[in-house]
Amino acid sequence: MGLLSKDVAIDLGTANTIVYVKGKGIVIREPSVVAIDRYTGRIVAVGNEADDMIGRTPENIIAVRPMKDGVIADFDITQSMIKNFIHKANVASVLKPRVVVCIPSGITEVERRAVEDAIIQAGAKDVALVEEPMAAAMGAGLPVNKATGSMVVDIGGGTTEVAVISMGGIVSSQSIRIAGDALDSAIVNYIKKNIGINIGDKMAEQIKMEIGSAYEDNEEGVFDVRGRDMSTGLPKTVQVKESQIREAMKENIEEMIESIKMTLEHTPPELAADVMERGITLTGGGALIKGLDKLVSEVTKIPTYVAEYPLDCVALGTGKALDDIKNLLAKTKIR
Ligand code: ADP
Ligand code: MG
């Protein structure tokens, strides 16, 4: 058994990396974060452990997110991170694993090659690529191979990818660099400007997950925010309201919806009609923003659904692509 080469799918996300092993399912789900000793360059921690260090490290240790906007920002650190996850997944024993990894739809040839090289240098025997929106749609259980239009909107940390898929191909797509991270920054800025408190990105993300919402309803959640008072320089706790956070995120969310509308405008009428009828599916961590589905369906007049496991869709879809790994590898090698 140990002599069989393993097939592995990797969702190398800006915020989270997920590793799926054929026959097992998802075995690793950790933040795409690496902690490094600034002076020696030595890697101190990877994944969850490194993430816990963000904002809490002594001066010599920095926590780095080596993926940015869906592509590799730091090659060596990304490669070490992948190596660590492959090792943890316990798939590199005797024979090297074959890997399928997903990439955003709009990236350059150079960016693609960097992903391939990083995976190979991290210890893979072969690597094949699948496009992220396709993986997201497959993972959400959409009928990607049928002659009908399916729309998927994947909102991750760095990018929001919108795509219409039909007969196994992406018919039209858009990728914008506004997603979860941008929402966090918007919350930091709003609280600085309107409340006079400085908070970190992590605190902003926590606020977003707890009380962030896109659509006004009767509820008004509150959150006790801890930060630094800008006038006294001292720590302070203030209460923020759901409506304030909605206001903070408003502009970015409008841009996401604009991108959905643009993609629909560039979709052939028959397929757009399919989408009108079958609806829009939201995936990625951003799909969990409360009321986003409701807002999207109100603005677009198209029924909108959140996928069952939004954070796992891309990994599950890339995992499904493993069934076709021979063809995918052949295609990758021809390029
Ligand atoms: P990526 O594929 O880029 O790694 P993910 O699909 O894993 O991204 O999503 C991560 C993003 O989703 C982060 O910005 C995170 O803050 C956000 N997120 C996760 N859970 C929630 C939630 N419950 N509400 C709002 N945003 C969330
Ligand atoms: Mg993703």
Side-chain angles (χ1 to χ4, degrees):
M1 187 56 205
L3 283 174
L4 284 175
S5 166
K6 298 231 169 73
D7 291 339
V8 177
I10 300 178
D11 169 11
L12 190 56
T14 305
N16 297 295
T17 298
I18 301 183
V19 180
Y20 175 111
V21 178
K22 190 167 180 180
K24 274 193 186 165
I26 290 174
V27 295
I28 285 178
R29 191 189 274 113
E30 295 199 36
S32 308
V33 179
V34 179
I36 295 167
D37 185 317
R38 192 203 291 268
Y39 302 118
T40 63
R42 195 175 62 88
I43 288 178
V44 181
V46 176
N48 284 322
E49 206 188 325
D51 192 51
D52 290 341
M53 294 179 176
I54 287 185
R56 293 208 170 79
T57 53
E59 218 163 62
N60 63 317
I61 295 178
I62 45 168
V64 178
R65 286 174 60 182
M67 302 290 298
K68 196 172 184 302
D69 300 329
V71 299
I72 295 177
D74 186 310
F75 186 86
D76 293 339
I77 299 177
T78 300
Q79 183 224 310
S80 304
M81 182 178 80
I82 299 168
K83 199 177 205 164
N84 179 286
F85 288 143
I86 287 181
H87 180 78
K88 261 190 214 159
N90 205 16
V91 287
S93 48
V94 181
L95 290 178
K96 292 177 165 185
R98 297 192 295 184
V99 174
V100 176
V101 63
C102 55
I103 45 156
S105 49
I107 72 175
T108 67
E109 189 59 31
V110 173
E111 289 166 335
R112 269 167 190 267
R113 290 251 185 262
V115 173
E116 288 175 352
D117 291 348
I119 301 276
I120 293 290
Q121 287 178 34
K125 173 166 151 254
D126 276 314
V127 59
L129 307 173
V130 290
E131 290 191 286
E132 216 153 41
M134 183 62 75
M138 286 168 72
L142 298 178
V144 294
N145 293 316
K146 294 235 169 84
T148 182
S150 298
M151 177 177 256
V152 66
V153 180
D154 182 67
I155 307 166
T159 56
T160 296
E161 309 252 338
V162 185
V164 173
I165 292 165
S166 173
M167 297 186 75
I170 294 175
V171 177
S172 54
S173 69
Q174 281 226 335
S175 171
I176 56 166
R177 295 184 172 194
I178 295 174
D181 294 342
L183 295 175
D184 300 346
S185 306
I187 292 172
V188 169
N189 291 334
Y190 181 93
I191 290 180
K192 190 186 281 176
K193 197 170 142 214
N194 295 281
I195 309 180
I197 304 278
N198 254 327
I199 62 166
D201 291 342
K202 275 261 155 205
M203 176 62 72
E205 183 181 34
Q206 235 176 310
I207 299 169
K208 174 184 72 179
M209 290 177 169
E210 287 285 326
I211 61 164
S213 73
Y215 195 91
E216 190 176 345
D217 58 14
N218 294 326
E219 252 178 86
E220 174 80 317
V222 291
F223 190 99
D224 288 327
V225 176
R226 274 172 295 113
R228 188 155 38 81
D229 188 323
M230 288 165 69
S231 54
T232 65
L234 296 172
K236 188 174 175 185
T237 302
V238 286
Q239 197 172 70
V240 294
K241 297 199 189 87
E242 188 172 320
S243 51
Q244 291 177 295
I245 300 307
R246 189 162 50 244
E247 176 65 27
M249 304 197 303
K250 191 168 183 254
E251 217 168 287
N252 285 328
I253 287 181
E254 277 169 5
E255 299 234 28
M256 292 174 193
I257 295 181
E258 191 53 36
S259 161
I260 295 176
K261 288 203 234 160
M262 292 279 283
T263 308
L264 279 168
E265 276 172 28
H266 291 107
T267 301
E270 291 78 9
L271 296 176
D274 292 339
V275 173
M276 299 275 285
E277 194 182 308
R278 312 181 61 98
I280 298 171
T281 301
L282 308 180
T283 67
L288 292 165
I289 297 163
K290 202 175 83 177
L292 182 61
D293 49 347
K294 215 168 165 189
L295 182 67
V296 172
S297 83
E298 188 177 278
V299 176
T300 61
K301 312 272 187 290
I302 301 175
T304 303
Y305 313 98
V306 178
E308 191 172 6
Y309 302 105
L311 284 158
D312 292 346
C313 281
V314 169
L316 294 174
T318 313
K320 280 188 191 167
L322 287 174
D323 295 339
D324 198 28
I325 192 167
K326 274 205 181 114
N327 282 327
L328 283 172
L329 283 171
K331 265 196 246 166
T332 306
K333 278 182 182 143
I334 289 167
R335 275 194 307 106

